[in-house]
Amino acid sequence: MPVPCGSKCGRNAFMRRPKTGDVLCKDCFFLAFETEIHNTIQQEQLFRSGEKVAIAASGGKDSTVLAHVMSVLNDRYKYGLNLVLLSIDEGITGYRDDSLKTVAQNRDDYGMPLRVLSYQELYGWTMDRIVAEIGRSNNCTFCGVFRRQALDRGARLMEVDCVATGHNADDIAETVIMNILRGDTARLRRCCDIKTGSKEADTIPRVKPLKYSYEKEIVMYAHFKKLVYFSTECVFAPNAYRGHARAFLKDLEKVRPSAIMDIIHAGEQLQIKGTVKKPVRGICGRCGFVSSQQPCKACVLLEGLNRGLPKLGIGKRSKGDRMVALQDQQLREKARLVKNDF
């Protein structure tokens, strides 16, 4: 027997929302999903009329849905935003080169200008070459650090007012779990912020309009809207630490669907003792981008690659300092021997 739509629109329901349990027809689900994102944008005051906003586009479901919804809401509610797409090419053969084709499709579908920046262009390295040097145990560290800075670099080049990323509720809950397991108090509270950075701090703000949107609902929205997105997993990601947090979260969600929101709200309410030393975010003296250390992590990792010491930025800083000192000593000794030969 057909079940009527819970919104009393007169149509039959076709789904039960994973987030709320409401039974809705397709059109009412679309409206509810979009309205929740609009309410988040309004309540958190993520944008101002006239701003130029870069949508971090990877071609995946999250960024594709974000681009589509932002385009819809910008027209429906007259946000007055200038929307553009910013994509980062990490240089992963068989993954990013294919997903960029989907990003190009998003550009054509939504009429948004697109800028693509590559690791090769910014750092002189691709992820394929980095993995060949470092192996698959710490490759995600390089990619994550370089990608975050690449977005900052791209945002500055495009002269945007802020960057909107496709982080969804599942992503944020996973990050909370990861930071708890690592004991990372600095990132534990910050990872739940819907807006980070500010023009006052000389950094381009980042916002997360999909912060309270469930991944399952994003997939359903993309599927029933027939949006074109790239769904292949990164070839270097199977061993990523995040995968364990994701598996744990999915198990929790099976027995308690509200676990995702519960974890996010818990993260939002966390308070760190005043006696706990917290890193101060500033500007890297080398590259001029935001950092909580000198030099920034991206500069340290890049220095290691260029020196032939790919593990320089992995682990404790004191270990990296010893590696640099040892290499410098060996180079000086080698130069002395060459000089003596003449």
Side-chain angles (χ1 to χ4, degrees), residues 13-296:
F14 92 111
M15 63 162 289
R16 182 181 296 276
R17 288 192 67 184
K19 181 178 180 179
T20 64
D22 296 335
V23 288
L24 299 174
C25 68
K26 189 181 296 185
D27 291 337
C28 288
F29 166 65
F30 292 154
L31 182 61
F33 183 83
E34 293 163 358
T35 301
E36 284 184 2
I37 297 173
H38 168 67
N39 291 339
T40 298
I41 290 172
Q42 294 297 100
Q43 291 167 9
E44 301 293 341
Q45 299 180 346
L46 299 186
F47 310 111
R48 295 178 185 175
S49 180
E51 285 187 331
K52 184 177 182 180
V53 179
I55 296 173
S58 66
K61 63 184 185 310
D62 299 318
S63 65
T64 298
V65 168
L66 177 60
H68 175 83
V69 172
M70 285 300 301
S71 178
V72 169
L73 298 181
N74 195 34
D75 291 338
R76 181 184 298 165
Y77 297 105
K78 310 301 179 186
Y79 288 166
L81 301 177
N82 178 15
L83 301 175
V84 298
L85 299 175
L86 172 59
S87 192
I88 307 301
D89 179 5
E90 300 93 343
I92 304 175
T93 305
Y95 172 67
R96 184 56 69 211
D97 46 356
D98 290 337
S99 70
L100 287 175
K101 297 176 183 176
T102 305
V103 175
Q105 182 67 48
N106 295 160
R107 174 200 61 201
D108 297 338
D109 290 344
Y110 309 127
M112 298 179 189
L114 168 65
R115 178 70 182 268
V116 180
L117 289 176
S118 69
Y119 282 9
Q120 180 65 47
E121 176 185 351
L122 296 174
Y123 307 114
W125 289 79
T126 65
M127 277 308 299
D128 286 344
R129 285 183 60 207
I130 291 172
V131 171
E133 291 284 331
I134 192 69
R136 297 201 175 198
S137 58
N138 294 294
N139 54 286
C140 289
T141 297
F142 283 83
C143 194
V145 171
F146 285 163
R147 182 176 175 79
R148 283 190 290 272
Q149 191 187 89
L151 285 174
D152 287 338
R153 289 175 179 266
R156 184 175 293 182
L157 288 172
M158 297 183 78
E159 299 180 332
V160 301
D161 295 293
C162 73
V163 177
T165 64
H167 292 94
N168 60 48
D170 296 57
D171 295 329
I172 295 169
E174 290 165 10
T175 305
V176 171
I177 293 171
M178 290 167 63
N179 288 331
I180 289 175
L181 294 177
R182 288 189 299 219
D184 193 336
T185 55
R187 291 188 177 92
L188 184 53
R189 179 62 185 85
R190 194 170 68 235
C191 71
C192 290
D193 292 341
I194 196 169
K195 188 172 187 177
T196 57
S198 65
K199 294 179 181 177
E200 291 75 15
D202 198 28
T203 59
I204 296 175
R206 293 191 193 181
V207 297
K208 307 168 186 171
L210 303 183
K211 176 183 176 181
Y212 300 113
S213 301
Y214 274 31
E215 184 176 57
K216 287 181 178 178
E217 296 196 356
I218 290 173
V219 172
M220 295 171 70
Y221 184 89
H223 175 72
F224 290 112
K225 281 284 186 178
K226 294 181 171 56
L227 302 183
V228 178
Y229 67 92
F230 186 77
S231 58
T232 302
E233 185 181 35
C234 174
V235 294
F236 300 138
N239 298 322
Y241 183 51
R242 179 176 289 273
H244 302 292
R246 180 177 295 121
F248 175 64
L249 184 63
K250 295 305 180 189
D251 289 339
L252 284 178
E253 189 184 7
K254 289 176 184 177
V255 297
R256 184 181 175 87
S258 65
I260 294 172
M261 294 303 299
D262 294 341
I263 291 172
I264 292 175
H265 291 320
E268 291 172 336
Q269 298 303 316
L270 283 174
Q271 294 183 350
I272 308 300
K273 285 184 178 180
T275 55
V276 175
K277 185 177 180 181
K278 297 184 285 291
V280 178
R281 304 191 82 186
I283 301 298
C284 174
R286 289 189 187 177
C287 64
F289 288 90
V290 65
S291 173
S292 57
Q293 67 179 52
Q294 292 292 342
C296 71

